[in-house]
């Protein structure tokens, strides 16, 4: 293993010289980071043992008005020049996306600089390569802000729960989707209007389809699963379904049945492999996590020793995310002089101890279901539907048949089932949709009880 390059970075490491930071990107999170570092400079120095000084930052348009002071920071349009600046010890990557972020982070590592990033897409897709490079160069890549904004969930799983065999975790890990679902349910708001508001508040990704189609949550879930189970990052094997097709009708039927609709990321060990899935999920309303609203996030982690633990806090936004970025910076500063082999491993487990467990295909996953269908109001239809479910060994938990709307002969039928493997449910839905009196498609939403003893 190579040690980080000697030079100005190491010269001050033992003394009280400030640690010099370069920030790539001065948008929502970049400016939040500057503001928090300036406002809490004294407290942060007392904790870190050294002053953290932002010497340079990059942004595409350096003439743009910023939400943070930039005096004393050399602002440049060329991110690469920050990475190559020999006076900088730590690079904070807050640009987002893969290109040019991946190349910049690898370049920084190559230069022997430590990296802090909030970029979940980058870590989920290229983390294996980045951590390998960092390991070889003996530098740290810290990414607390990449998952659940301000909640210190990476540290909690990687360090606080290190005694446990993690059995499963389930999280509301996309603030934008949770904000949209909350506003739809509480105010009957329109999907597109709420998404615009989430963008205005700085919660949404540069491409908001990442939020509403579940991709951002899957990036974060991939990272959580890796550190929880000691497996490589496997984003491409995750099942990803977002909230874009959720209707207000399903949100309100779910409420009538005692459930709340959330976009959940679920990672669970089973005997046949790891479940890694993001999809809209009904959860019992009495669960604490069902009551997480707005842009707040929560992650429920079940460890064999500790039992269920719940972590809650702001999942997006300028300063909540900066809180995690600055915590990583302090961690980096505190361990600058530590032997790299004695640092907490990037993915919680020693790199040579990762297990390449397979990720289950969605067809193999077992879960409960909410089904909504529209049927012609005539005798025998419900019997036909329940016969199909019985033939496939799918047991019913509840059935709700609504009155037809005035002047209409089509009735909504809602069925809740017990747990069954998804392959059987796919077969059942295909058969139900082929029944003459069933109109249109069957809506299927997965349902999880999140019992502490879920095996
Ligand atoms: P913003 O879009 O607000 O800021 C991005 C910054 O990067 C801007 O300063 C922009 O310059 C600069 N930039 C964009 N593209 C390039 C490029 N190609 N080359 C160089 N600089 C570029 O993003 P956020 O601050 O919201 O997000 C930053 C990162 O943090 C992302 O990875 C995001 O996923 C993550 N994150 C965001 C959270 C949030 O709540 N917003 C929460 C947790 C993580 P300019 O300002 O001139 O346009
Ligand atoms: N777009 C993300 C979200 C930002 O809404 O959760 C925080 O990672």
């Amino acid at each position: 293993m190579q040690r980080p390059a000697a030079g100005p970075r190491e010269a001050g490491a033992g003394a009280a010289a400030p640690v010099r930071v370069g920030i790539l990107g001065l948008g929502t999170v970049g400016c939040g980071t500057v503001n928090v570092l300036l406002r809490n400079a004294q407290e942060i120095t007392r904790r870190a043992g050294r002053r953290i000084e932002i010497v340079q930052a990059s942004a595409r348009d350096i003439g743009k008005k910023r939400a943070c002071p930039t005096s004393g920071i050399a602002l440049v349009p060329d991110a690469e020049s920050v990475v190559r600046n020999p006076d900088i010890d730590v690079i904070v990557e807050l640009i987002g996306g893969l290109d040019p972020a991946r190349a910049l982070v690898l370049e920084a590592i190559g230069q022997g600089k430590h990296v802090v990033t909030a970029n979940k897409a980058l870590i989920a897709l290229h983390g294996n390569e980045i951590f390998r490079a960092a390991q070889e160069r003996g530098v740290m890549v810290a990414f607390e802000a990449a998952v659940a904004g301000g909640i210190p969930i990476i540290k909690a799983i990687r360090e606080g729960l290190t005694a446990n065999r993690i059995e499963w975790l389930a999280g509301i890990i996309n603030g934008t989707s949770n904000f949209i679902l909350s506003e739809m349910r509480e105010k009957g708001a329109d999907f597109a209007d709420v998404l615009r508001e989430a963008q205005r508040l700085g919660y949404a990704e540069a491409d908001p389809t990442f939020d509403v189609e579940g991709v951002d949550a899957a990036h974060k879930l991939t990272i959580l699963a890796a550190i929880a189970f000691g497996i490589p990052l496997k984003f491409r094997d995750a099942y990803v379904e977002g909230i874009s097709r959720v209707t207000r009708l399903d949100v309100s039927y779910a409420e009538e049945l005692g459930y709340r609709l959330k976009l959940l990321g679920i990672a669970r060990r089973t005997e046949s492999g790891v479940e890694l899935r993001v999809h809209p999920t009904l959860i019992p309303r009495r669960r604490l996590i069902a009551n997480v609203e707005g842009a707040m996030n929560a992650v429920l982690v079940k460890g064999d020793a500790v039992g269920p633990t719940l972590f809650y806090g702001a999942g997006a936004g300028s300063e909540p995310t900066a809180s995690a970025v600055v915590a990583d910076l302090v961690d980096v500063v505190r361990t600058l002089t530590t032997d790299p082999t004695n640092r907490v491993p990037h993915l919680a487990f020693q790199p040579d101890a990762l297990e390449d467990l397979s990720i289950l295909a969605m067809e193999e996953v077992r879960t409960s279901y909410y089904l909504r269908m529209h049927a012609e109001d005539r005798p025998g239809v419900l019997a036909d539907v329940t016969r199909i479910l019985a033939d496939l060994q799918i047991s019913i938990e509840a059935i709700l048949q609504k009155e037809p709307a005035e002047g209409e002969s089509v009735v909504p039928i809602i069925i809740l089932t017990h747990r069954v493997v998804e392959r059987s449910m796919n077969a059942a839905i295909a058969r139900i949709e082929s029944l003459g009196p069933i109109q249109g498609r069957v809506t299927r939403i997965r349902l999880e009880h999140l019992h502490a003893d879920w095996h």
Side-chain angles (χ1 to χ4, degrees), residues 10 70 105 115 134 148 239 247 264 276 287 308 336 388 431 438 445 451:
E10 293 207 335
T70 52
V105 164
V115 175
Y239 174 80
T247 65
L264 278 197
L276 193 61
R287 297 260 176 270
L336 271 176
I388 290 172
R431 284 172 61 181
I438 297 295
I445 303 177
H451 291 301

Side-chain angles (χ1 to χ4, degrees), residues 120 173-176 203-205 211 216 220 315-316:
K120 47 273 164 128
I173 45 181
N174 182 264
T176 302
Y203 302 151
E205 294 302 299
D211 295 291
D216 176 76
K220 295 165 178 167

Side-chain angles (χ1 to χ4, degrees), residues 427-438:
I429 289 175
R431 284 172 61 181
I432 293 170
E433 285 176 347
S434 71
L435 292 173
I438 297 295

